[in-house]
Amino acid sequence: MKKFYVELKKVVDDSYYIEIGHDLIDTLVRDIKNGLVPSAKRYAVVTDSNVKGLYADVVLESLKEAGMKADLFVFPAGEKSKTRETKAKIEDEMLSLGCRRDCCVIAVGGGVVTDLAGFIAGTFGRGVPFINYATTLLSAADASVGGKTAVDTPLATNLIGLFNQPERIYIDIDAWKTLPKRELSSGLAETIKHAILADNEFFCYLENNIEKVFDFNTEVCEHIAEKNCEIKYQVVMKDEREKGLREILNLGHTVGRAIETVSDYRLLHGEAVSIGLVAEVKLAKSLGLASDDDESRVISLLKRAGLPITIPDYIDKCELVKKLYTDKKVRDGKLRFVIQDGIGKIKEFDDGNFAKEIAEEDIAKIIYSE
Ligand code: GLY
């Protein structure tokens, strides 16, 4: 019998722009009119019940006024909606309204919306383009940038998903003004994470200015939006698929994601990450990679950002330690952690490894001491 070789080597250009600014809906619609997504004949605007009335309705109407065919798909706000069930429901609605491979998904909202809508776009009709219009600090700081899309499962967060890059990202700083304070704080946790892992100067800037975010100081908000993007996209450009370096963006997330799931999403993502950052600076200290001063600076900044720094009483710590094993960095059944090296740097271990194997009892000791 013959043996065929299907040669499919690919050169892919997934480059895109991230536009940071104030009230960018007109810019989005103008870019679309000017051919941002040439294949798109219609638009599926995906959003949640909180963002619908604030921004997504305006996006929808503006697209229609500009002569484009567009429909709105809304799901209940909150992490509990980031499921395979919600994904299937929206896909069925899109199909029943006639969306096919000629559509483009526009995610309007925070991290849950951009994660879910990007995943929908990645599998709908085997893949259609998508655009992120990020309305929260959390999505600006982390979720909307870098192409990680996913849904949660009952076992843990983000276990099913795709690397899928958007056509463009719009970061609307004005939209932060409509966020509840708790959500703004949640986004600051990812911001502080970026400073700890990559930029000591940015950490000092946050120490000098963090409260100004709550007053929507334009200069401070713009600086924070820009620094978050810069730190994140520089890492993603070097290691899109998290083969090594990108793991550094997981600082605080090994403990954080586990807490988020065990709390049954009573804690917002950034709140859980904040507690995770505290546990992980203590871990760095136990390894001689962070000082007492580093620890107290991290804790003090998180507190000033309005974030929790201790594990709530309702969390079952035994369950939490078990949950650590659902982390995607686990290798060969062993826990692995990204470890900060002081403030502004991550420790690089042998062979370009940015995560270190840690014995369960070592991290459990820290969790039980909180
Ligand atoms: N949120 C971590 C990453 O995008 O890799």
mmCIF file of all heavy atoms in Angstrom, residues 45-57 72-81 86 89-90 108-110 112-113 116 135 178 183:
data_model
loop_
_atom_site.group_PDB
_atom_site.id
_atom_site.type_symbol
_atom_site.label_atom_id
_atom_site.label_comp_id
_atom_site.label_asym_id
_atom_site.label_seq_id
_atom_site.Cartn_x
_atom_site.Cartn_y
_atom_site.Cartn_z
ATOM 1 N N VAL A 45 -22.031 40.024 18.798
ATOM 2 C CA VAL A 45 -21.537 40.761 19.965
ATOM 3 C C VAL A 45 -21.870 39.929 21.202
ATOM 4 O O VAL A 45 -23.041 39.691 21.496
ATOM 5 C CB VAL A 45 -22.185 42.165 20.052
ATOM 6 C CG1 VAL A 45 -21.671 42.922 21.279
ATOM 7 C CG2 VAL A 45 -21.919 42.958 18.772
ATOM 8 N N VAL A 46 -20.832 39.465 21.898
ATOM 9 C CA VAL A 46 -21.041 38.606 23.077
ATOM 10 C C VAL A 46 -20.723 39.428 24.322
ATOM 11 O O VAL A 46 -19.670 40.075 24.407
ATOM 12 C CB VAL A 46 -20.146 37.347 23.007
ATOM 13 C CG1 VAL A 46 -20.305 36.501 24.266
ATOM 14 C CG2 VAL A 46 -20.483 36.520 21.768
ATOM 15 N N THR A 47 -21.634 39.380 25.285
ATOM 16 C CA THR A 47 -21.441 40.181 26.500
ATOM 17 C C THR A 47 -22.153 39.530 27.678
ATOM 18 O O THR A 47 -22.807 38.500 27.538
ATOM 19 C CB THR A 47 -21.959 41.619 26.253
ATOM 20 O OG1 THR A 47 -21.468 42.464 27.289
ATOM 21 C CG2 THR A 47 -23.483 41.679 26.247
ATOM 22 N N ASP A 48 -22.026 40.167 28.868
ATOM 23 C CA ASP A 48 -22.766 39.636 30.022
ATOM 24 C C ASP A 48 -23.855 40.624 30.450
ATOM 25 O O ASP A 48 -23.948 41.743 29.922
ATOM 26 C CB ASP A 48 -21.821 39.246 31.171
ATOM 27 C CG ASP A 48 -21.190 40.436 31.864
ATOM 28 O OD1 ASP A 48 -21.750 41.554 31.810
ATOM 29 O OD2 ASP A 48 -20.118 40.255 32.481
ATOM 30 N N SER A 49 -24.664 40.172 31.429
ATOM 31 C CA SER A 49 -25.839 40.959 31.815
ATOM 32 C C SER A 49 -25.456 42.306 32.446
ATOM 33 O O SER A 49 -26.264 43.236 32.421
ATOM 34 C CB SER A 49 -26.701 40.142 32.787
ATOM 35 O OG SER A 49 -25.887 39.612 33.819
ATOM 36 N N ASN A 50 -24.245 42.432 32.996
ATOM 37 C CA ASN A 50 -23.834 43.728 33.552
ATOM 38 C C ASN A 50 -23.414 44.707 32.463
ATOM 39 O O ASN A 50 -23.664 45.911 32.547
ATOM 40 C CB ASN A 50 -22.619 43.560 34.490
ATOM 41 C CG ASN A 50 -22.998 42.960 35.826
ATOM 42 O OD1 ASN A 50 -24.166 42.962 36.189
ATOM 43 N ND2 ASN A 50 -22.028 42.452 36.550
ATOM 44 N N VAL A 51 -22.724 44.207 31.476
ATOM 45 C CA VAL A 51 -22.101 45.083 30.473
ATOM 46 C C VAL A 51 -23.066 45.417 29.335
ATOM 47 O O VAL A 51 -22.897 46.417 28.632
ATOM 48 C CB VAL A 51 -20.800 44.413 29.932
ATOM 49 C CG1 VAL A 51 -20.097 45.300 28.913
ATOM 50 C CG2 VAL A 51 -19.844 44.118 31.082
ATOM 51 N N LYS A 52 -24.104 44.600 29.209
ATOM 52 C CA LYS A 52 -25.051 44.798 28.100
ATOM 53 C C LYS A 52 -25.518 46.250 28.017
ATOM 54 O O LYS A 52 -25.316 46.947 27.020
ATOM 55 C CB LYS A 52 -26.253 43.859 28.267
ATOM 56 C CG LYS A 52 -27.328 44.064 27.215
ATOM 57 C CD LYS A 52 -28.574 43.253 27.529
ATOM 58 C CE LYS A 52 -29.677 43.486 26.510
ATOM 59 N NZ LYS A 52 -30.191 44.853 26.459
ATOM 60 N N GLY A 53 -26.168 46.705 29.117
ATOM 61 C CA GLY A 53 -26.757 48.047 29.106
ATOM 62 C C GLY A 53 -25.717 49.166 29.110
ATOM 63 O O GLY A 53 -26.000 50.281 28.666
ATOM 64 N N LEU A 54 -24.527 48.857 29.598
ATOM 65 C CA LEU A 54 -23.492 49.906 29.713
ATOM 66 C C LEU A 54 -22.760 50.145 28.386
ATOM 67 O O LEU A 54 -22.539 51.290 27.997
ATOM 68 C CB LEU A 54 -22.468 49.511 30.788
ATOM 69 C CG LEU A 54 -22.966 49.500 32.232
ATOM 70 C CD1 LEU A 54 -21.947 48.814 33.139
ATOM 71 C CD2 LEU A 54 -23.214 50.925 32.711
ATOM 72 N N TYR A 55 -22.371 49.063 27.718
ATOM 73 C CA TYR A 55 -21.528 49.222 26.503
ATOM 74 C C TYR A 55 -21.981 48.375 25.310
ATOM 75 O O TYR A 55 -21.897 48.827 24.170
ATOM 76 C CB TYR A 55 -20.058 48.894 26.815
ATOM 77 C CG TYR A 55 -19.551 49.719 27.970
ATOM 78 C CD1 TYR A 55 -19.415 49.176 29.243
ATOM 79 C CD2 TYR A 55 -19.284 51.086 27.809
ATOM 80 C CE1 TYR A 55 -19.005 49.954 30.321
ATOM 81 C CE2 TYR A 55 -18.878 51.865 28.872
ATOM 82 C CZ TYR A 55 -18.742 51.285 30.121
ATOM 83 O OH TYR A 55 -18.358 52.060 31.179
ATOM 84 N N ALA A 56 -22.416 47.123 25.564
ATOM 85 C CA ALA A 56 -22.655 46.221 24.428
ATOM 86 C C ALA A 56 -23.828 46.698 23.568
ATOM 87 O O ALA A 56 -23.773 46.604 22.332
ATOM 88 C CB ALA A 56 -22.899 44.806 24.932
ATOM 89 N N ASP A 57 -24.887 47.237 24.215
ATOM 90 C CA ASP A 57 -26.010 47.769 23.430
ATOM 91 C C ASP A 57 -25.529 48.883 22.501
ATOM 92 O O ASP A 57 -25.966 48.992 21.355
ATOM 93 C CB ASP A 57 -27.105 48.340 24.354
ATOM 94 C CG ASP A 57 -27.948 47.240 24.997
ATOM 95 O OD1 ASP A 57 -27.953 46.106 24.464
ATOM 96 O OD2 ASP A 57 -28.588 47.511 26.042
ATOM 97 N N LEU A 72 -26.823 40.440 19.251
ATOM 98 C CA LEU A 72 -26.278 40.485 20.609
ATOM 99 C C LEU A 72 -26.538 39.155 21.318
ATOM 100 O O LEU A 72 -27.642 38.598 21.222
ATOM 101 C CB LEU A 72 -26.977 41.626 21.367
ATOM 102 C CG LEU A 72 -26.439 42.004 22.732
ATOM 103 C CD1 LEU A 72 -24.997 42.472 22.652
ATOM 104 C CD2 LEU A 72 -27.303 43.126 23.333
ATOM 105 N N PHE A 73 -25.545 38.656 22.036
ATOM 106 C CA PHE A 73 -25.680 37.399 22.778
ATOM 107 C C PHE A 73 -25.249 37.677 24.217
ATOM 108 O O PHE A 73 -24.100 38.074 24.454
ATOM 109 C CB PHE A 73 -24.813 36.317 22.126
ATOM 110 C CG PHE A 73 -25.195 36.088 20.687
ATOM 111 C CD1 PHE A 73 -24.602 36.841 19.674
ATOM 112 C CD2 PHE A 73 -26.193 35.186 20.360
ATOM 113 C CE1 PHE A 73 -24.982 36.673 18.349
ATOM 114 C CE2 PHE A 73 -26.585 35.014 19.035
ATOM 115 C CZ PHE A 73 -25.968 35.755 18.032
ATOM 116 N N VAL A 74 -26.173 37.479 25.141
ATOM 117 C CA VAL A 74 -25.946 37.894 26.528
ATOM 118 C C VAL A 74 -26.049 36.687 27.464
ATOM 119 O O VAL A 74 -26.950 35.871 27.325
ATOM 120 C CB VAL A 74 -27.015 38.939 26.961
ATOM 121 C CG1 VAL A 74 -26.673 39.530 28.327
ATOM 122 C CG2 VAL A 74 -27.146 40.043 25.930
ATOM 123 N N PHE A 75 -25.118 36.599 28.410
ATOM 124 C CA PHE A 75 -25.214 35.540 29.430
ATOM 125 C C PHE A 75 -25.134 36.187 30.814
ATOM 126 O O PHE A 75 -24.655 37.326 30.935
ATOM 127 C CB PHE A 75 -24.122 34.467 29.218
ATOM 128 C CG PHE A 75 -22.729 34.987 29.346
ATOM 129 C CD1 PHE A 75 -22.097 35.080 30.580
ATOM 130 C CD2 PHE A 75 -22.017 35.410 28.219
ATOM 131 C CE1 PHE A 75 -20.811 35.568 30.706
ATOM 132 C CE2 PHE A 75 -20.716 35.901 28.333
ATOM 133 C CZ PHE A 75 -20.125 35.981 29.576
ATOM 134 N N PRO A 76 -25.579 35.510 31.863
ATOM 135 C CA PRO A 76 -25.568 36.107 33.206
ATOM 136 C C PRO A 76 -24.131 36.414 33.662
ATOM 137 O O PRO A 76 -23.239 35.579 33.501
ATOM 138 C CB PRO A 76 -26.201 35.034 34.103
ATOM 139 C CG PRO A 76 -26.928 34.121 33.169
ATOM 140 C CD PRO A 76 -26.206 34.165 31.855
ATOM 141 N N ALA A 77 -23.943 37.615 34.231
ATOM 142 C CA ALA A 77 -22.592 38.032 34.649
ATOM 143 C C ALA A 77 -22.056 37.107 35.751
ATOM 144 O O ALA A 77 -22.806 36.592 36.569
ATOM 145 C CB ALA A 77 -22.642 39.466 35.160
ATOM 146 N N GLY A 78 -20.735 36.930 35.741
ATOM 147 C CA GLY A 78 -20.084 36.188 36.839
ATOM 148 C C GLY A 78 -19.324 34.976 36.355
ATOM 149 O O GLY A 78 -19.639 34.381 35.313
ATOM 150 N N GLU A 79 -18.292 34.619 37.139
ATOM 151 C CA GLU A 79 -17.409 33.499 36.796
ATOM 152 C C GLU A 79 -18.199 32.190 36.650
ATOM 153 O O GLU A 79 -17.826 31.323 35.866
ATOM 154 C CB GLU A 79 -16.332 33.371 37.892
ATOM 155 C CG GLU A 79 -15.216 32.386 37.607
ATOM 156 C CD GLU A 79 -14.151 32.862 36.606
ATOM 157 O OE1 GLU A 79 -13.919 34.077 36.502
ATOM 158 O OE2 GLU A 79 -13.567 31.994 35.928
ATOM 159 N N LYS A 80 -19.317 32.077 37.381
ATOM 160 C CA LYS A 80 -20.076 30.822 37.330
ATOM 161 C C LYS A 80 -20.676 30.568 35.957
ATOM 162 O O LYS A 80 -21.147 29.470 35.670
ATOM 163 C CB LYS A 80 -21.170 30.827 38.399
ATOM 164 C CG LYS A 80 -20.612 30.522 39.775
ATOM 165 C CD LYS A 80 -21.701 30.113 40.732
ATOM 166 C CE LYS A 80 -21.074 29.534 41.979
ATOM 167 N NZ LYS A 80 -22.027 29.016 42.929
ATOM 168 N N SER A 81 -20.691 31.619 35.106
ATOM 169 C CA SER A 81 -21.209 31.438 33.738
ATOM 170 C C SER A 81 -20.145 30.958 32.768
ATOM 171 O O SER A 81 -20.451 30.640 31.623
ATOM 172 C CB SER A 81 -21.750 32.777 33.205
ATOM 173 O OG SER A 81 -22.982 33.081 33.788
ATOM 174 N N THR A 86 -22.675 27.397 29.014
ATOM 175 C CA THR A 86 -22.936 28.743 28.474
ATOM 176 C C THR A 86 -22.415 28.834 27.046
ATOM 177 O O THR A 86 -23.042 29.425 26.163
ATOM 178 C CB THR A 86 -22.246 29.833 29.336
ATOM 179 O OG1 THR A 86 -22.551 29.603 30.691
ATOM 180 C CG2 THR A 86 -22.683 31.222 28.930
ATOM 181 N N LYS A 89 -24.785 27.175 24.735
ATOM 182 C CA LYS A 89 -26.037 27.942 24.601
ATOM 183 C C LYS A 89 -25.839 29.099 23.613
ATOM 184 O O LYS A 89 -26.668 29.320 22.726
ATOM 185 C CB LYS A 89 -26.432 28.461 25.997
ATOM 186 C CG LYS A 89 -27.836 28.934 26.103
ATOM 187 C CD LYS A 89 -28.237 29.055 27.583
ATOM 188 C CE LYS A 89 -29.594 29.700 27.710
ATOM 189 N NZ LYS A 89 -29.576 31.142 27.539
ATOM 190 N N ILE A 90 -24.746 29.810 23.764
ATOM 191 C CA ILE A 90 -24.503 30.943 22.853
ATOM 192 C C ILE A 90 -24.269 30.434 21.426
ATOM 193 O O ILE A 90 -24.788 31.006 20.459
ATOM 194 C CB ILE A 90 -23.311 31.791 23.349
ATOM 195 C CG1 ILE A 90 -23.706 32.485 24.649
ATOM 196 C CG2 ILE A 90 -22.891 32.835 22.309
ATOM 197 C CD1 ILE A 90 -22.587 33.235 25.329
ATOM 198 N N VAL A 108 -17.439 41.996 24.364
ATOM 199 C CA VAL A 108 -17.503 43.300 25.036
ATOM 200 C C VAL A 108 -17.673 43.039 26.527
ATOM 201 O O VAL A 108 -18.734 42.577 26.966
ATOM 202 C CB VAL A 108 -18.683 44.153 24.511
ATOM 203 C CG1 VAL A 108 -18.684 45.525 25.175
ATOM 204 C CG2 VAL A 108 -18.625 44.298 23.001
ATOM 205 N N GLY A 109 -16.620 43.270 27.312
ATOM 206 C CA GLY A 109 -16.750 43.040 28.748
ATOM 207 C C GLY A 109 -15.431 42.774 29.428
ATOM 208 O O GLY A 109 -14.371 43.188 28.959
ATOM 209 N N GLY A 110 -15.527 42.044 30.535
ATOM 210 C CA GLY A 110 -14.354 41.739 31.341
ATOM 211 C C GLY A 110 -13.778 40.376 30.997
ATOM 212 O O GLY A 110 -14.047 39.820 29.922
ATOM 213 N N VAL A 112 -14.282 37.291 32.041
ATOM 214 C CA VAL A 112 -15.151 36.146 31.763
ATOM 215 C C VAL A 112 -15.650 36.226 30.318
ATOM 216 O O VAL A 112 -15.651 35.232 29.582
ATOM 217 C CB VAL A 112 -16.341 36.109 32.763
ATOM 218 C CG1 VAL A 112 -17.354 35.056 32.365
ATOM 219 C CG2 VAL A 112 -15.832 35.846 34.178
ATOM 220 N N VAL A 113 -16.033 37.429 29.900
ATOM 221 C CA VAL A 113 -16.573 37.595 28.543
ATOM 222 C C VAL A 113 -15.492 37.321 27.492
ATOM 223 O O VAL A 113 -15.714 36.572 26.536
ATOM 224 C CB VAL A 113 -17.150 39.022 28.344
ATOM 225 C CG1 VAL A 113 -17.622 39.212 26.905
ATOM 226 C CG2 VAL A 113 -18.301 39.283 29.299
ATOM 227 N N LEU A 116 -14.529 33.541 27.384
ATOM 228 C CA LEU A 116 -15.591 32.699 26.824
ATOM 229 C C LEU A 116 -15.790 32.986 25.337
ATOM 230 O O LEU A 116 -15.848 32.067 24.509
ATOM 231 C CB LEU A 116 -16.886 32.975 27.613
ATOM 232 C CG LEU A 116 -18.127 32.177 27.260
ATOM 233 C CD1 LEU A 116 -17.929 30.694 27.534
ATOM 234 C CD2 LEU A 116 -19.318 32.683 28.074
ATOM 235 N N THR A 135 -13.586 46.052 29.015
ATOM 236 C CA THR A 135 -14.199 47.128 29.801
ATOM 237 C C THR A 135 -13.782 47.120 31.272
ATOM 238 O O THR A 135 -14.236 47.972 32.027
ATOM 239 C CB THR A 135 -15.746 47.033 29.721
ATOM 240 O OG1 THR A 135 -16.143 45.763 30.239
ATOM 241 C CG2 THR A 135 -16.253 47.200 28.301
ATOM 242 N N THR A 178 -17.256 52.702 35.605
ATOM 243 C CA THR A 178 -18.533 52.060 35.942
ATOM 244 C C THR A 178 -18.329 50.754 36.715
ATOM 245 O O THR A 178 -19.283 50.026 36.963
ATOM 246 C CB THR A 178 -19.358 51.784 34.655
ATOM 247 O OG1 THR A 178 -18.528 51.054 33.734
ATOM 248 C CG2 THR A 178 -19.808 53.063 33.998
ATOM 249 N N GLU A 183 -14.311 45.230 41.938
ATOM 250 C CA GLU A 183 -13.818 44.773 40.624
ATOM 251 C C GLU A 183 -12.536 45.509 40.233
ATOM 252 O O GLU A 183 -11.641 44.936 39.621
ATOM 253 C CB GLU A 183 -14.878 45.015 39.534
ATOM 254 C CG GLU A 183 -16.133 44.201 39.690
ATOM 255 C CD GLU A 183 -15.989 42.762 39.190
ATOM 256 O OE1 GLU A 183 -14.949 42.419 38.602
ATOM 257 O OE2 GLU A 183 -16.932 41.982 39.441
#
